[in-house]
PDB file of all heavy atoms in Angstrom:
ATOM      1  N   THR O  14     -27.888 -41.850  51.512  1.00 98.00           N
ATOM      2  CA  THR O  14     -27.175 -43.011  50.972  1.00 98.00           C
ATOM      3  C   THR O  14     -26.148 -43.502  51.998  1.00 98.00           C
ATOM      4  O   THR O  14     -25.647 -42.723  52.815  1.00 98.00           O
ATOM      5  CB  THR O  14     -26.485 -42.688  49.627  1.00 98.00           C
ATOM      6  OG1 THR O  14     -25.412 -41.771  49.848  1.00 98.00           O
ATOM      7  CG2 THR O  14     -27.464 -42.117  48.623  1.00 98.00           C
ATOM      8  N   GLY O  15     -25.866 -44.789  51.942  1.00 98.00           N
ATOM      9  CA  GLY O  15     -24.902 -45.366  52.889  1.00 98.00           C
ATOM     10  C   GLY O  15     -25.331 -45.139  54.328  1.00 98.00           C
ATOM     11  O   GLY O  15     -24.519 -44.776  55.179  1.00 98.00           O
ATOM     12  N   ALA O  16     -26.621 -45.383  54.586  1.00 98.00           N
ATOM     13  CA  ALA O  16     -27.178 -44.983  55.895  1.00 98.00           C
ATOM     14  C   ALA O  16     -27.238 -46.119  56.913  1.00 98.00           C
ATOM     15  O   ALA O  16     -27.814 -45.951  57.985  1.00 98.00           O
ATOM     16  CB  ALA O  16     -28.561 -44.381  55.700  1.00 98.00           C
ATOM     17  N   SER O  17     -26.637 -47.272  56.610  1.00 98.00           N
ATOM     18  CA  SER O  17     -26.741 -48.383  57.566  1.00 98.00           C
ATOM     19  C   SER O  17     -25.699 -48.294  58.670  1.00 98.00           C
ATOM     20  O   SER O  17     -25.687 -49.113  59.585  1.00 98.00           O
ATOM     21  CB  SER O  17     -26.620 -49.725  56.830  1.00 98.00           C
ATOM     22  OG  SER O  17     -25.355 -49.806  56.214  1.00 98.00           O
ATOM     23  N   SER O  18     -24.807 -47.301  58.601  1.00 98.00           N
ATOM     24  CA  SER O  18     -23.778 -47.184  59.651  1.00 98.00           C
ATOM     25  C   SER O  18     -23.307 -45.736  59.766  1.00 98.00           C
ATOM     26  O   SER O  18     -23.643 -44.891  58.942  1.00 98.00           O
ATOM     27  CB  SER O  18     -22.580 -48.085  59.303  1.00 98.00           C
ATOM     28  OG  SER O  18     -21.959 -47.625  58.106  1.00 98.00           O
ATOM     29  N   GLY O  19     -22.529 -45.493  60.817  1.00 98.00           N
ATOM     30  CA  GLY O  19     -21.781 -44.241  60.975  1.00 98.00           C
ATOM     31  C   GLY O  19     -22.574 -42.958  60.821  1.00 98.00           C
ATOM     32  O   GLY O  19     -23.654 -42.782  61.402  1.00 98.00           O
ATOM     33  N   ILE O  20     -22.021 -42.058  60.039  1.00 98.00           N
ATOM     34  CA  ILE O  20     -22.605 -40.725  59.871  1.00 98.00           C
ATOM     35  C   ILE O  20     -23.978 -40.818  59.191  1.00 98.00           C
ATOM     36  O   ILE O  20     -24.926 -40.126  59.580  1.00 98.00           O
ATOM     37  CB  ILE O  20     -21.630 -39.840  59.049  1.00 98.00           C
ATOM     38  CG1 ILE O  20     -20.348 -39.567  59.866  1.00 98.00           C
ATOM     39  CG2 ILE O  20     -22.285 -38.530  58.637  1.00 98.00           C
ATOM     40  CD1 ILE O  20     -19.207 -38.924  59.089  1.00 98.00           C
ATOM     41  N   GLY O  21     -24.103 -41.693  58.188  1.00 98.00           N
ATOM     42  CA  GLY O  21     -25.380 -41.843  57.481  1.00 98.00           C
ATOM     43  C   GLY O  21     -26.484 -42.285  58.424  1.00 98.00           C
ATOM     44  O   GLY O  21     -27.613 -41.774  58.376  1.00 98.00           O
ATOM     45  N   ASN O  38     -30.786 -45.908  52.727  1.00 98.00           N
ATOM     46  CA  ASN O  38     -30.134 -46.734  51.697  1.00 98.00           C
ATOM     47  C   ASN O  38     -28.987 -47.552  52.297  1.00 98.00           C
ATOM     48  O   ASN O  38     -28.275 -47.097  53.175  1.00 98.00           O
ATOM     49  CB  ASN O  38     -29.577 -45.840  50.577  1.00 98.00           C
ATOM     50  CG  ASN O  38     -28.495 -46.533  49.756  1.00 98.00           C
ATOM     51  OD1 ASN O  38     -27.317 -46.163  49.814  1.00 98.00           O
ATOM     52  ND2 ASN O  38     -28.861 -47.564  49.017  1.00 98.00           N
ATOM     53  N   TYR O  39     -28.859 -48.784  51.816  1.00 98.00           N
ATOM     54  CA  TYR O  39     -27.729 -49.620  52.199  1.00 98.00           C
ATOM     55  C   TYR O  39     -27.256 -50.371  50.969  1.00 98.00           C
ATOM     56  O   TYR O  39     -27.999 -50.535  49.995  1.00 98.00           O
ATOM     57  CB  TYR O  39     -28.129 -50.614  53.303  1.00 98.00           C
ATOM     58  CG  TYR O  39     -29.151 -51.640  52.839  1.00 98.00           C
ATOM     59  CD1 TYR O  39     -28.740 -52.897  52.387  1.00 98.00           C
ATOM     60  CD2 TYR O  39     -30.509 -51.341  52.823  1.00 98.00           C
ATOM     61  CE1 TYR O  39     -29.670 -53.833  51.938  1.00 98.00           C
ATOM     62  CE2 TYR O  39     -31.435 -52.271  52.375  1.00 98.00           C
ATOM     63  CZ  TYR O  39     -31.015 -53.513  51.937  1.00 98.00           C
ATOM     64  OH  TYR O  39     -31.926 -54.425  51.471  1.00 98.00           O
ATOM     65  N   ARG O  40     -25.986 -50.810  51.011  1.00 97.00           N
ATOM     66  CA  ARG O  40     -25.472 -51.610  49.902  1.00 97.00           C
ATOM     67  C   ARG O  40     -25.594 -53.081  50.235  1.00 97.00           C
ATOM     68  O   ARG O  40     -26.190 -53.843  49.503  1.00 97.00           O
ATOM     69  CB  ARG O  40     -24.019 -51.227  49.604  1.00 97.00           C
ATOM     70  CG  ARG O  40     -23.433 -51.914  48.390  1.00 97.00           C
ATOM     71  CD  ARG O  40     -21.931 -51.816  48.415  1.00 97.00           C
ATOM     72  NE  ARG O  40     -21.470 -51.981  49.798  1.00 97.00           N
ATOM     73  CZ  ARG O  40     -20.241 -51.779  50.218  1.00 97.00           C
ATOM     74  NH1 ARG O  40     -19.328 -51.369  49.381  1.00 97.00           N
ATOM     75  NH2 ARG O  40     -19.906 -51.974  51.477  1.00 97.00           N
ATOM     76  N   SER O  41     -25.068 -53.487  51.419  1.00 97.00           N
ATOM     77  CA  SER O  41     -25.130 -54.903  51.762  1.00 97.00           C
ATOM     78  C   SER O  41     -25.650 -55.173  53.177  1.00 97.00           C
ATOM     79  O   SER O  41     -26.032 -56.299  53.481  1.00 97.00           O
ATOM     80  CB  SER O  41     -23.742 -55.541  51.577  1.00 97.00           C
ATOM     81  OG  SER O  41     -22.782 -54.765  52.252  1.00 97.00           O
ATOM     82  N   SER O  42     -25.661 -54.144  54.057  1.00 98.00           N
ATOM     83  CA  SER O  42     -26.055 -54.374  55.457  1.00 98.00           C
ATOM     84  C   SER O  42     -27.561 -54.216  55.646  1.00 98.00           C
ATOM     85  O   SER O  42     -28.039 -53.259  56.278  1.00 98.00           O
ATOM     86  CB  SER O  42     -25.306 -53.410  56.369  1.00 98.00           C
ATOM     87  OG  SER O  42     -23.935 -53.485  56.141  1.00 98.00           O
ATOM     88  N   GLY O  65     -29.258 -50.550  47.369  1.00 96.00           N
ATOM     89  CA  GLY O  65     -28.814 -49.926  46.120  1.00 96.00           C
ATOM     90  C   GLY O  65     -27.346 -49.588  46.211  1.00 96.00           C
ATOM     91  O   GLY O  65     -26.908 -49.027  47.212  1.00 96.00           O
ATOM     92  N   ASP O  66     -26.603 -49.955  45.173  1.00 96.00           N
ATOM     93  CA  ASP O  66     -25.184 -49.603  45.117  1.00 96.00           C
ATOM     94  C   ASP O  66     -25.081 -48.282  44.357  1.00 96.00           C
ATOM     95  O   ASP O  66     -25.373 -48.220  43.161  1.00 96.00           O
ATOM     96  CB  ASP O  66     -24.431 -50.729  44.375  1.00 96.00           C
ATOM     97  CG  ASP O  66     -22.933 -50.463  44.311  1.00 96.00           C
ATOM     98  OD1 ASP O  66     -22.528 -49.275  44.302  1.00 96.00           O
ATOM     99  OD2 ASP O  66     -22.170 -51.437  44.260  1.00 96.00           O
ATOM    100  N   VAL O  67     -24.668 -47.221  45.063  1.00 96.00           N
ATOM    101  CA  VAL O  67     -24.698 -45.890  44.438  1.00 96.00           C
ATOM    102  C   VAL O  67     -23.665 -45.719  43.331  1.00 96.00           C
ATOM    103  O   VAL O  67     -23.741 -44.772  42.555  1.00 96.00           O
ATOM    104  CB  VAL O  67     -24.504 -44.751  45.481  1.00 96.00           C
ATOM    105  CG1 VAL O  67     -25.607 -44.764  46.514  1.00 96.00           C
ATOM    106  CG2 VAL O  67     -23.127 -44.814  46.129  1.00 96.00           C
ATOM    107  N   SER O  68     -22.695 -46.641  43.271  1.00 93.00           N
ATOM    108  CA  SER O  68     -21.688 -46.494  42.217  1.00 93.00           C
ATOM    109  C   SER O  68     -22.183 -47.069  40.888  1.00 93.00           C
ATOM    110  O   SER O  68     -21.521 -46.951  39.866  1.00 93.00           O
ATOM    111  CB  SER O  68     -20.366 -47.148  42.635  1.00 93.00           C
ATOM    112  OG  SER O  68     -20.529 -48.537  42.769  1.00 93.00           O
ATOM    113  N   ALA O  92     -26.000 -37.287  49.959  1.00 98.00           N
ATOM    114  CA  ALA O  92     -25.101 -38.222  49.277  1.00 98.00           C
ATOM    115  C   ALA O  92     -23.943 -38.504  50.231  1.00 98.00           C
ATOM    116  O   ALA O  92     -22.974 -37.759  50.294  1.00 98.00           O
ATOM    117  CB  ALA O  92     -24.612 -37.616  47.970  1.00 98.00           C
ATOM    118  N   ASN O  93     -24.100 -39.564  51.009  1.00 98.00           N
ATOM    119  CA  ASN O  93     -23.184 -39.831  52.129  1.00 98.00           C
ATOM    120  C   ASN O  93     -22.294 -41.045  51.908  1.00 98.00           C
ATOM    121  O   ASN O  93     -21.194 -41.118  52.460  1.00 98.00           O
ATOM    122  CB  ASN O  93     -24.027 -40.024  53.401  1.00 98.00           C
ATOM    123  CG  ASN O  93     -23.232 -40.651  54.529  1.00 98.00           C
ATOM    124  OD1 ASN O  93     -22.450 -39.971  55.199  1.00 98.00           O
ATOM    125  ND2 ASN O  93     -23.401 -41.958  54.737  1.00 98.00           N
ATOM    126  N   ALA O  94     -22.753 -42.020  51.091  1.00 98.00           N
ATOM    127  CA  ALA O  94     -22.003 -43.278  50.953  1.00 98.00           C
ATOM    128  C   ALA O  94     -20.555 -43.005  50.570  1.00 98.00           C
ATOM    129  O   ALA O  94     -20.269 -42.160  49.719  1.00 98.00           O
ATOM    130  CB  ALA O  94     -22.659 -44.160  49.896  1.00 98.00           C
ATOM    131  N   GLY O  95     -19.653 -43.732  51.205  1.00 98.00           N
ATOM    132  CA  GLY O  95     -18.237 -43.547  50.888  1.00 98.00           C
ATOM    133  C   GLY O  95     -17.406 -44.662  51.477  1.00 98.00           C
ATOM    134  O   GLY O  95     -17.870 -45.410  52.343  1.00 98.00           O
ATOM    135  N   LEU O  96     -16.199 -44.792  50.973  1.00 98.00           N
ATOM    136  CA  LEU O  96     -15.286 -45.800  51.520  1.00 98.00           C
ATOM    137  C   LEU O  96     -13.844 -45.387  51.308  1.00 98.00           C
ATOM    138  O   LEU O  96     -13.573 -44.411  50.597  1.00 98.00           O
ATOM    139  CB  LEU O  96     -15.558 -47.177  50.898  1.00 98.00           C
ATOM    140  CG  LEU O  96     -15.761 -47.285  49.378  1.00 98.00           C
ATOM    141  CD1 LEU O  96     -14.467 -47.106  48.632  1.00 98.00           C
ATOM    142  CD2 LEU O  96     -16.351 -48.643  49.037  1.00 98.00           C
ATOM    143  N   LYS O 112     -12.242 -47.827  42.428  1.00 98.00           N
ATOM    144  CA  LYS O 112     -13.350 -48.117  43.348  1.00 98.00           C
ATOM    145  C   LYS O 112     -13.729 -46.873  44.167  1.00 98.00           C
ATOM    146  O   LYS O 112     -14.908 -46.543  44.330  1.00 98.00           O
ATOM    147  CB  LYS O 112     -12.933 -49.263  44.286  1.00 98.00           C
ATOM    148  CG  LYS O 112     -13.988 -49.689  45.271  1.00 98.00           C
ATOM    149  CD  LYS O 112     -15.085 -50.476  44.584  1.00 98.00           C
ATOM    150  CE  LYS O 112     -16.250 -50.743  45.488  1.00 98.00           C
ATOM    151  NZ  LYS O 112     -17.415 -51.241  44.755  1.00 98.00           N
ATOM    152  N   VAL O 116     -17.310 -44.823  43.951  1.00 98.00           N
ATOM    153  CA  VAL O 116     -18.284 -44.667  45.048  1.00 98.00           C
ATOM    154  C   VAL O 116     -18.321 -43.219  45.535  1.00 98.00           C
ATOM    155  O   VAL O 116     -19.390 -42.607  45.632  1.00 98.00           O
ATOM    156  CB  VAL O 116     -17.955 -45.615  46.225  1.00 98.00           C
ATOM    157  CG1 VAL O 116     -18.925 -45.384  47.384  1.00 98.00           C
ATOM    158  CG2 VAL O 116     -18.002 -47.068  45.774  1.00 98.00           C
ATOM    159  N   ASN O 117     -17.143 -42.659  45.838  1.00 98.00           N
ATOM    160  CA  ASN O 117     -17.099 -41.372  46.553  1.00 98.00           C
ATOM    161  C   ASN O 117     -17.345 -40.166  45.653  1.00 98.00           C
ATOM    162  O   ASN O 117     -17.741 -39.106  46.147  1.00 98.00           O
ATOM    163  CB  ASN O 117     -15.732 -41.191  47.240  1.00 98.00           C
ATOM    164  CG  ASN O 117     -15.487 -42.212  48.339  1.00 98.00           C
ATOM    165  OD1 ASN O 117     -16.187 -43.207  48.424  1.00 98.00           O
ATOM    166  ND2 ASN O 117     -14.488 -41.977  49.160  1.00 98.00           N
ATOM    167  N   GLN O 121     -21.835 -40.022  44.024  1.00 97.00           N
ATOM    168  CA  GLN O 121     -22.508 -38.792  44.468  1.00 97.00           C
ATOM    169  C   GLN O 121     -23.066 -38.050  43.253  1.00 97.00           C
ATOM    170  O   GLN O 121     -24.172 -37.513  43.279  1.00 97.00           O
ATOM    171  CB  GLN O 121     -21.531 -37.925  45.289  1.00 97.00           C
ATOM    172  CG  GLN O 121     -21.040 -38.644  46.547  1.00 97.00           C
ATOM    173  CD  GLN O 121     -20.698 -37.714  47.722  1.00 97.00           C
ATOM    174  OE1 GLN O 121     -21.113 -36.583  47.796  1.00 97.00           O
ATOM    175  NE2 GLN O 121     -19.931 -38.224  48.666  1.00 97.00           N
ATOM    176  N   THR O 151     -21.397 -35.242  50.817  1.00 98.00           N
ATOM    177  CA  THR O 151     -20.539 -35.491  51.973  1.00 98.00           C
ATOM    178  C   THR O 151     -19.106 -35.471  51.495  1.00 98.00           C
ATOM    179  O   THR O 151     -18.651 -36.374  50.797  1.00 98.00           O
ATOM    180  CB  THR O 151     -20.867 -36.834  52.633  1.00 98.00           C
ATOM    181  OG1 THR O 151     -22.264 -36.845  52.913  1.00 98.00           O
ATOM    182  CG2 THR O 151     -20.096 -36.994  53.940  1.00 98.00           C
ATOM    183  N   SER O 152     -18.450 -34.397  51.843  1.00 98.00           N
ATOM    184  CA  SER O 152     -17.050 -34.257  51.467  1.00 98.00           C
ATOM    185  C   SER O 152     -16.199 -34.646  52.668  1.00 98.00           C
ATOM    186  O   SER O 152     -16.530 -35.581  53.403  1.00 98.00           O
ATOM    187  CB  SER O 152     -16.810 -32.824  51.006  1.00 98.00           C
ATOM    188  OG  SER O 152     -15.496 -32.685  50.587  1.00 98.00           O
ATOM    189  N   SER O 153     -15.147 -33.902  52.925  1.00 98.00           N
ATOM    190  CA  SER O 153     -14.219 -34.228  54.008  1.00 98.00           C
ATOM    191  C   SER O 153     -13.237 -33.068  54.134  1.00 98.00           C
ATOM    192  O   SER O 153     -13.075 -32.290  53.183  1.00 98.00           O
ATOM    193  CB  SER O 153     -13.447 -35.503  53.635  1.00 98.00           C
ATOM    194  OG  SER O 153     -12.252 -35.610  54.388  1.00 98.00           O
ATOM    195  N   VAL O 154     -12.564 -32.988  55.277  1.00 98.00           N
ATOM    196  CA  VAL O 154     -11.474 -32.006  55.355  1.00 98.00           C
ATOM    197  C   VAL O 154     -10.449 -32.276  54.246  1.00 98.00           C
ATOM    198  O   VAL O 154      -9.717 -31.386  53.833  1.00 98.00           O
ATOM    199  CB  VAL O 154     -10.770 -32.020  56.737  1.00 98.00           C
ATOM    200  CG1 VAL O 154     -11.670 -31.445  57.811  1.00 98.00           C
ATOM    201  CG2 VAL O 154     -10.271 -33.409  57.123  1.00 98.00           C
ATOM    202  N   TYR O 166      -8.813 -41.238  47.819  1.00 98.00           N
ATOM    203  CA  TYR O 166      -9.832 -40.621  48.671  1.00 98.00           C
ATOM    204  C   TYR O 166      -9.781 -39.086  48.568  1.00 98.00           C
ATOM    205  O   TYR O 166     -10.798 -38.423  48.356  1.00 98.00           O
ATOM    206  CB  TYR O 166      -9.607 -41.074  50.119  1.00 98.00           C
ATOM    207  CG  TYR O 166     -10.681 -40.657  51.092  1.00 98.00           C
ATOM    208  CD1 TYR O 166     -11.832 -41.430  51.270  1.00 98.00           C
ATOM    209  CD2 TYR O 166     -10.551 -39.503  51.863  1.00 98.00           C
ATOM    210  CE1 TYR O 166     -12.811 -41.061  52.177  1.00 98.00           C
ATOM    211  CE2 TYR O 166     -11.522 -39.124  52.776  1.00 98.00           C
ATOM    212  CZ  TYR O 166     -12.653 -39.910  52.943  1.00 98.00           C
ATOM    213  OH  TYR O 166     -13.622 -39.538  53.848  1.00 98.00           O
ATOM    214  N   LYS O 170     -12.662 -36.538  47.117  1.00 98.00           N
ATOM    215  CA  LYS O 170     -13.275 -35.475  47.924  1.00 98.00           C
ATOM    216  C   LYS O 170     -12.975 -34.098  47.326  1.00 98.00           C
ATOM    217  O   LYS O 170     -13.820 -33.198  47.355  1.00 98.00           O
ATOM    218  CB  LYS O 170     -12.797 -35.553  49.377  1.00 98.00           C
ATOM    219  CG  LYS O 170     -13.216 -36.849  50.100  1.00 98.00           C
ATOM    220  CD  LYS O 170     -14.717 -37.029  50.184  1.00 98.00           C
ATOM    221  CE  LYS O 170     -15.115 -38.237  51.036  1.00 98.00           C
ATOM    222  NZ  LYS O 170     -16.555 -38.460  51.083  1.00 98.00           N
ATOM    223  N   ALA O 195     -18.526 -31.329  55.487  1.00 98.00           N
ATOM    224  CA  ALA O 195     -17.167 -31.864  55.414  1.00 98.00           C
ATOM    225  C   ALA O 195     -16.696 -32.230  56.816  1.00 98.00           C
ATOM    226  O   ALA O 195     -16.226 -31.374  57.571  1.00 98.00           O
ATOM    227  CB  ALA O 195     -16.225 -30.845  54.780  1.00 98.00           C
ATOM    228  N   PRO O 196     -16.853 -33.503  57.186  1.00 98.00           N
ATOM    229  CA  PRO O 196     -16.417 -33.914  58.526  1.00 98.00           C
ATOM    230  C   PRO O 196     -14.894 -33.931  58.646  1.00 98.00           C
ATOM    231  O   PRO O 196     -14.180 -34.090  57.663  1.00 98.00           O
ATOM    232  CB  PRO O 196     -16.972 -35.343  58.646  1.00 98.00           C
ATOM    233  CG  PRO O 196     -17.962 -35.505  57.545  1.00 98.00           C
ATOM    234  CD  PRO O 196     -17.525 -34.590  56.457  1.00 98.00           C
ATOM    235  N   GLY O 197     -14.457 -33.757  59.901  1.00 98.00           N
ATOM    236  CA  GLY O 197     -13.034 -33.969  60.210  1.00 98.00           C
ATOM    237  C   GLY O 197     -12.886 -35.420  60.615  1.00 98.00           C
ATOM    238  O   GLY O 197     -13.210 -36.322  59.847  1.00 98.00           O
ATOM    239  N   ALA O 198     -12.417 -35.667  61.849  1.00 97.00           N
ATOM    240  CA  ALA O 198     -12.282 -37.052  62.311  1.00 97.00           C
ATOM    241  C   ALA O 198     -13.487 -37.414  63.166  1.00 97.00           C
ATOM    242  O   ALA O 198     -13.654 -36.898  64.276  1.00 97.00           O
ATOM    243  CB  ALA O 198     -11.005 -37.208  63.116  1.00 97.00           C
ATOM    244  N   ILE O 199     -14.337 -38.282  62.621  1.00 98.00           N
ATOM    245  CA  ILE O 199     -15.550 -38.698  63.319  1.00 98.00           C
ATOM    246  C   ILE O 199     -15.420 -40.193  63.613  1.00 98.00           C
ATOM    247  O   ILE O 199     -14.983 -40.962  62.744  1.00 98.00           O
ATOM    248  CB  ILE O 199     -16.803 -38.458  62.425  1.00 98.00           C
ATOM    249  CG1 ILE O 199     -16.816 -37.032  61.838  1.00 98.00           C
ATOM    250  CG2 ILE O 199     -18.084 -38.767  63.199  1.00 98.00           C
ATOM    251  CD1 ILE O 199     -16.947 -35.905  62.817  1.00 98.00           C
ATOM    252  N   LYS O 200     -15.806 -40.576  64.822  1.00 97.00           N
ATOM    253  CA  LYS O 200     -15.655 -41.967  65.253  1.00 97.00           C
ATOM    254  C   LYS O 200     -16.625 -42.881  64.509  1.00 97.00           C
ATOM    255  O   LYS O 200     -17.808 -42.985  64.885  1.00 97.00           O
ATOM    256  CB  LYS O 200     -15.955 -42.030  66.755  1.00 97.00           C
ATOM    257  CG  LYS O 200     -14.875 -42.696  67.571  1.00 97.00           C
ATOM    258  CD  LYS O 200     -15.240 -42.718  69.031  1.00 97.00           C
ATOM    259  CE  LYS O 200     -14.563 -41.600  69.787  1.00 97.00           C
ATOM    260  NZ  LYS O 200     -14.968 -41.552  71.200  1.00 97.00           N
ATOM    261  N   THR O 201     -16.180 -43.513  63.428  1.00 95.00           N
ATOM    262  CA  THR O 201     -17.034 -44.477  62.702  1.00 95.00           C
ATOM    263  C   THR O 201     -16.162 -45.637  62.221  1.00 95.00           C
ATOM    264  O   THR O 201     -14.935 -45.628  62.407  1.00 95.00           O
ATOM    265  CB  THR O 201     -17.706 -43.850  61.459  1.00 95.00           C
ATOM    266  OG1 THR O 201     -16.696 -43.627  60.467  1.00 95.00           O
ATOM    267  CG2 THR O 201     -18.422 -42.545  61.760  1.00 95.00           C
ATOM    268  N   ALA O 202     -16.803 -46.570  61.516  1.00 92.00           N
ATOM    269  CA  ALA O 202     -16.081 -47.749  61.053  1.00 92.00           C
ATOM    270  C   ALA O 202     -15.035 -47.429  59.981  1.00 92.00           C
ATOM    271  O   ALA O 202     -14.083 -48.181  59.787  1.00 92.00           O
ATOM    272  CB  ALA O 202     -17.079 -48.756  60.489  1.00 92.00           C
ATOM    273  N   ILE O 203     -15.218 -46.303  59.287  1.00 89.00           N
ATOM    274  CA  ILE O 203     -14.316 -45.998  58.160  1.00 89.00           C
ATOM    275  C   ILE O 203     -12.889 -45.716  58.637  1.00 89.00           C
ATOM    276  O   ILE O 203     -11.937 -45.884  57.882  1.00 89.00           O
ATOM    277  CB  ILE O 203     -14.871 -44.797  57.328  1.00 89.00           C
ATOM    278  CG1 ILE O 203     -14.462 -44.892  55.846  1.00 89.00           C
ATOM    279  CG2 ILE O 203     -14.427 -43.460  57.868  1.00 89.00           C
ATOM    280  CD1 ILE O 203     -15.156 -43.872  54.931  1.00 89.00           C
ATOM    281  N   ASN O 204     -12.748 -45.264  59.898  1.00 91.00           N
ATOM    282  CA  ASN O 204     -11.423 -44.821  60.360  1.00 91.00           C
ATOM    283  C   ASN O 204     -11.055 -45.399  61.733  1.00 91.00           C
ATOM    284  O   ASN O 204     -10.375 -44.747  62.519  1.00 91.00           O
ATOM    285  CB  ASN O 204     -11.380 -43.286  60.408  1.00 91.00           C
ATOM    286  CG  ASN O 204     -12.454 -42.723  61.329  1.00 91.00           C
ATOM    287  OD1 ASN O 204     -13.244 -43.469  61.895  1.00 91.00           O
ATOM    288  ND2 ASN O 204     -12.477 -41.422  61.488  1.00 91.00           N
TER     289      ASN O 204
HETATM  290  P1  NAD I 301     -19.036 -45.774  57.375  1.00 97.69           P
HETATM  291  O1  NAD I 301     -18.107 -46.767  56.786  1.00 97.69           O
HETATM  292  O2  NAD I 301     -19.689 -46.112  58.659  1.00 97.69           O
HETATM  293  O3  NAD I 301     -20.166 -45.380  56.345  1.00 97.69           O
HETATM  294  C1  NAD I 301     -20.043 -45.430  54.950  1.00 97.69           C
HETATM  295  C2  NAD I 301     -21.290 -46.102  54.418  1.00 97.69           C
HETATM  296  O4  NAD I 301     -21.286 -46.065  52.985  1.00 97.69           O
HETATM  297  C3  NAD I 301     -21.369 -47.579  54.832  1.00 97.69           C
HETATM  298  O5  NAD I 301     -22.647 -47.836  55.382  1.00 97.69           O
HETATM  299  C4  NAD I 301     -21.169 -48.328  53.524  1.00 97.69           C
HETATM  300  O6  NAD I 301     -21.849 -49.557  53.472  1.00 97.69           O
HETATM  301  C5  NAD I 301     -21.752 -47.331  52.545  1.00 97.69           C
HETATM  302  N1  NAD I 301     -21.329 -47.600  51.167  1.00 97.69           N
HETATM  303  C6  NAD I 301     -20.076 -47.836  50.729  1.00 97.69           C
HETATM  304  N2  NAD I 301     -20.105 -48.083  49.400  1.00 97.69           N
HETATM  305  C7  NAD I 301     -21.396 -47.968  49.010  1.00 97.69           C
HETATM  306  C8  NAD I 301     -22.069 -48.099  47.777  1.00 97.69           C
HETATM  307  N3  NAD I 301     -21.396 -48.412  46.662  1.00 97.69           N
HETATM  308  N4  NAD I 301     -23.415 -47.919  47.743  1.00 97.69           N
HETATM  309  C9  NAD I 301     -24.111 -47.616  48.869  1.00 97.69           C
HETATM  310  N5  NAD I 301     -23.522 -47.483  50.066  1.00 97.69           N
HETATM  311  C10 NAD I 301     -22.189 -47.663  50.137  1.00 97.69           C
HETATM  312  O7  NAD I 301     -18.186 -44.438  57.496  1.00 97.69           O
HETATM  313  P2  NAD I 301     -18.672 -42.921  57.764  1.00 97.69           P
HETATM  314  O8  NAD I 301     -17.575 -42.273  58.478  1.00 97.69           O
HETATM  315  O9  NAD I 301     -20.021 -42.887  58.335  1.00 97.69           O
HETATM  316  O10 NAD I 301     -18.686 -42.327  56.282  1.00 97.69           O
HETATM  317  C11 NAD I 301     -19.771 -41.599  55.752  1.00 97.69           C
HETATM  318  C12 NAD I 301     -19.247 -40.499  54.832  1.00 97.69           C
HETATM  319  O11 NAD I 301     -18.530 -39.538  55.606  1.00 97.69           O
HETATM  320  C13 NAD I 301     -18.279 -40.988  53.758  1.00 97.69           C
HETATM  321  O12 NAD I 301     -18.546 -40.306  52.543  1.00 97.69           O
HETATM  322  C14 NAD I 301     -16.927 -40.576  54.308  1.00 97.69           C
HETATM  323  O13 NAD I 301     -15.971 -40.376  53.292  1.00 97.69           O
HETATM  324  C15 NAD I 301     -17.295 -39.274  54.986  1.00 97.69           C
HETATM  325  N6  NAD I 301     -16.328 -38.824  55.992  1.00 97.69           N
HETATM  326  C16 NAD I 301     -16.140 -39.521  57.150  1.00 97.69           C
HETATM  327  C17 NAD I 301     -15.204 -39.053  58.065  1.00 97.69           C
HETATM  328  C18 NAD I 301     -14.937 -39.739  59.376  1.00 97.69           C
HETATM  329  O14 NAD I 301     -14.031 -39.294  60.096  1.00 97.69           O
HETATM  330  N7  NAD I 301     -15.664 -40.765  59.742  1.00 97.69           N
HETATM  331  C19 NAD I 301     -14.471 -37.891  57.782  1.00 97.69           C
HETATM  332  C20 NAD I 301     -14.694 -37.226  56.588  1.00 97.69           C
HETATM  333  C21 NAD I 301     -15.631 -37.692  55.690  1.00 97.69           C
END
Side-chain angles (χ1 to χ4, degrees):
T14 68
S17 62
S18 64
I20 293 170
N38 160 249
Y39 66 95
R40 185 197 39 189
S41 51
S42 307
D66 182 331
V67 299
S68 65
N93 165 78
L96 45 73
K112 181 74 188 168
V116 177
N117 295 15
Q121 299 210 19
T151 307
S152 183
S153 160
V154 289
Y166 187 86
K170 296 299 186 182
I199 311 295
K200 233 180 261 177
T201 71
I203 210 171
N204 59 358

